[in-house]
Amino acid sequence: MSRPRPRTPGRAAAAAAVLLAVLTAGCGIRTTSVPVDAGPAPSRVSCAVPEPENSPGVTDAQVVQVYLVCGMQTTPVPRTVQVRARAAGRTEQVRELVAQLQRSVLGAEAKAGFATAVPGTLEVEGPAPGDPVDALRLGQPIEDLPSFALAQIVCTVAGSALASPGHSVVLGGPEAGSKVRRYTCTPDLRTRPQAADTAGTEVS
């Protein structure tokens, strides 16, 4: 009988793939579970934060901070985006922010070496029955996310007006009845891939 495979090595491999792609990325990034190099690679990247750049299709714009991956850490990058009116509800607005992390990085961001690790297929839902009212449920188990993807989501939402009290985010996976955890944008989460394995505090 085969043994169950531990999840930690898989996460470490995903993190290694993210870092390799960040160090070698030069042009566009395709929307996948980890960044993929889509052009010729420069010998080094600057990780210099660019000026806000319009996302495609933006008409009624505002500047938000989104966390992207560069130089073995996540960094806030200003981006001019179109966010739905508050009447759309908090979950819908969070989806808009996460969608910014899922799309291909923009021109100046790519030239500076920024990338994204957030899977393009990741879904965001509101609280399940019994969850805190500010909880968000992700469409895949959190422990299966690339480490930097968790940091990107936590730091982007926690740094916005959609954050839970204490500049935190309450997240859980899709499993019915599974516990949710409260996350904050700590330096460890932003800079150490392995920190994602122990990040967050379980919410009763």
Side-chain angles (χ1 to χ4, degrees):
M1 182 174 66
S2 61
R3 298 181 185 174
R5 189 171 53 186
R7 287 174 174 166
T8 301
R11 167 169 274 171
V18 171
L19 297 182
L20 178 62
V22 169
L23 291 174
T24 58
C27 292
I29 302 295
R30 295 201 302 267
T31 304
T32 60
S33 60
V34 293
V36 177
D37 181 17
S43 59
R44 57 197 297 182
V45 294
S46 69
C47 294
V49 176
E51 292 296 316
E53 187 172 350
N54 281 1
S55 294
V58 169
T59 53
D60 183 15
Q62 69 181 85
V63 177
V64 298
Q65 298 282 341
V66 298
Y67 276 73
L68 301 176
V69 183
C70 192
M72 301 177 69
Q73 64 181 0
T74 58
T75 301
V77 175
R79 189 180 282 181
T80 304
V81 302
Q82 186 172 23
V83 180
R84 293 185 188 182
R86 292 188 182 277
R90 177 174 178 266
T91 300
E92 287 78 8
Q93 293 178 72
V94 171
R95 287 191 188 118
E96 295 284 346
L97 282 180
V98 174
Q100 289 297 319
L101 302 176
Q102 293 173 309
R103 70 170 65 247
S104 298
V105 291
L106 305 178
E109 297 166 351
K111 287 181 180 178
F114 288 97
T116 186
V118 179
T121 56
L122 184 67
E123 297 179 352
V124 180
E125 300 295 339
D131 285 348
V133 295
D134 59 343
L136 298 163
R137 289 280 181 172
L138 302 181
Q140 70 182 75
I142 290 176
E143 60 269 24
D144 289 349
L145 283 174
S147 303
F148 280 134
L150 177 61
Q152 286 182 260
I153 294 168
V154 169
C155 292
T156 298
V157 179
S160 74
L162 304 173
S164 295
H167 301 287
S168 65
V169 184
V170 179
L171 296 176
E175 303 89 349
S178 61
K179 295 288 187 179
V180 294
R181 300 178 70 86
R182 187 177 299 276
Y183 297 86
T184 57
C185 185
T186 64
D188 265 1
L189 189 61
R190 294 197 305 268
T191 61
R192 296 176 59 244
Q194 62 270 34
D197 291 324
T198 56
T201 302
E202 189 173 292
V203 178
S204 301

